[in-house]
Each structure stands twice: as structure tokens, then as C-alpha cells.
Amino acid sequence: MANQYETVFIMTPVLSEEQAKETVGKYKKLLTDNRCKVIYSDDWGLRKLAYPIQKKTTGFYHLFQFEGEGSVIADLELAFKRDERLLRYMTVALDKHAIAYSEKRRNKSKKKETVTA
């Protein structure tokens, strides 16, 4: 049975914008190659870290929300561990309340984009 998951990862700030996009594309491809459906992808950009990690005080944040089998998580996290471009990552399974909240959050951000456009 497919569940919904949300993954946030932080990339090192020394990457160029193109390298950051390439990294995101790599993980998006990993998910789709493992028969996952990427529901939502959001680039949070360069943000200050709460505490230094590997002597870095900022990082590029990215969020994926996807639907897939639980076995994919181990492959995804193994790829995260081996990648020196990532500082931290976290994957959580979404329950029905979290799914409803994330849909509400996405719709709210879409409304903001249409108002400002």
C-alpha cells in the first residue's frame, strides 16, 4: 500500500544555483524511478541554519511530498547519506491530518501567488 511522505533536505551553501537544481533533479528522478509519485516540490531557497553544521551557517532547503511504497525510503536515505552536497535530511510519513494540512498550505500559497501576480 502506498503512503504519503514528506522529505526536507538541506544542501550545502557552496553549491551554485545550477548545482542545487541538479541535486534536486537527481532525487526527483530517484523517486520517480522507484515508482513514486511526486505530489509537491518546493524550493525554500537559502536559509540560515539554527546552528552551524560542518561550519556552515546557511543552506539551500528543499521539500518533496510524494506517494510511494515504504521500501523506497531506505534507498532514498542511503542516497542522502552518500551525498556530500547534503548537510541534513528528514523524511516523515504523513497521516490523514498531515495530508489535509499540507493540501491547505499548498492552496494558501497558490492564492498568495495569484494575488501578487
Side-chain angles (χ1 to χ4, degrees), residues 4 93-103:
Q4 284 198 21
L94 301 177
D95 63 6
K96 66 180 181 182
H97 303 292
I99 292 169
Y101 176 76
S102 67
E103 285 176 9

Side-chain angles (χ1 to χ4, degrees), residues 8-65:
V8 174
F9 55 92
I10 307 170
M11 295 172 277
T12 181
V14 297
L15 297 176
S16 68
E17 196 167 312
E18 191 166 307
Q19 289 171 321
K21 284 181 183 175
E22 179 186 308
T23 305
V24 169
K26 173 187 170 185
Y27 291 110
K28 196 171 195 173
K29 184 177 180 329
L30 189 144
L31 288 172
T32 54
D33 287 349
N34 285 296
R35 294 183 287 161
C36 291
K37 179 183 170 191
V38 177
I39 298 170
Y40 183 65
S41 176
D42 192 13
D43 183 24
W44 294 355
L46 188 67
R47 291 183 172 209
K48 187 175 179 185
L49 303 174
Y51 54 88
I53 301 171
Q54 298 173 4
K55 298 183 180 178
K56 312 262 185 319
T57 56
T58 58
F60 291 105
Y61 282 67
H62 196 86
L63 174 137
F64 278 129
Q65 186 177 348

Side-chain angles (χ1 to χ4, degrees), residues 79-116:
F80 284 156
K81 282 181 189 171
R82 290 180 174 164
D83 196 338
E84 293 179 352
R85 296 174 290 188
L86 299 186
L87 299 174
R88 290 286 190 273
Y89 60 88
M90 187 165 92
T91 301
V92 294
L94 301 177
D95 63 6
K96 66 180 181 182
H97 303 292
I99 292 169
Y101 176 76
S102 67
E103 285 176 9
K104 195 171 159 183
R105 184 182 62 201
R106 283 195 307 260
N107 291 336
K108 191 175 180 180
S109 67
K110 281 182 187 175
K111 284 181 183 175
K112 278 186 182 178
E113 289 175 7
T114 55
V115 169
T116 57

